[in-house]
Amino acid sequence: KINLFLQDYKGQKLAEQIFQGIILVSAIIGFIYGYITEQFGWTVYIVMAGFALSCLLTLPPWPMYRRNPLRWLPVQESGTEEKKPADRKPKRHAKS
């Protein structure tokens, strides 16, 4: 059974790289445009738009982030009945 809502480790790395790349590019573009127009507000708007775009591309578990699922060990059925914590005898440590 594959969990369709979780990213794998390589997918997390890819999402982080995409997120940081979009933020960096939008910050550079925003700074240059804001410097040219002498309007700091445009810099903030462009960086905020880059942040929104990066969130849209990286926060949902898109299929491109789930290409390498983890292989879990199969469930092992034990033949013995599990004891309740109250039924267990406390372990005694050897005194040195």
Side-chain angles (χ1 to χ4, degrees), residues 82-94:
E82 227 178 280
K83 293 182 180 180
K84 296 178 184 175
D87 296 340
R88 293 184 187 163
K89 292 182 181 177
K91 293 183 182 180
R92 295 185 181 190
H93 297 287

Side-chain angles (χ1 to χ4, degrees), residues 15-81:
E16 181 71 23
Q17 289 172 341
I18 291 172
F19 184 81
Q20 289 180 357
I22 292 173
I23 293 295
L24 180 65
V25 169
S26 67
I28 291 170
I29 292 171
F31 177 78
I32 292 171
Y33 187 77
Y35 184 78
I36 291 171
T37 61
E38 297 180 1
Q39 294 288 324
F40 182 71
W42 279 106
T43 301
V44 174
Y45 293 143
I46 292 172
V47 171
M48 287 173 44
F51 178 75
L53 177 65
S54 63
C55 286
L56 179 68
L57 292 177
T58 59
L59 289 180
W62 298 109
M64 66 182 173
Y65 302 131
R66 293 182 276 124
R67 291 184 180 165
N68 303 299
L70 295 175
R71 302 287 179 222
W72 295 93
L73 293 175
V75 175
Q76 295 179 355
E77 298 292 330
S78 61
T80 61
E81 195 175 297

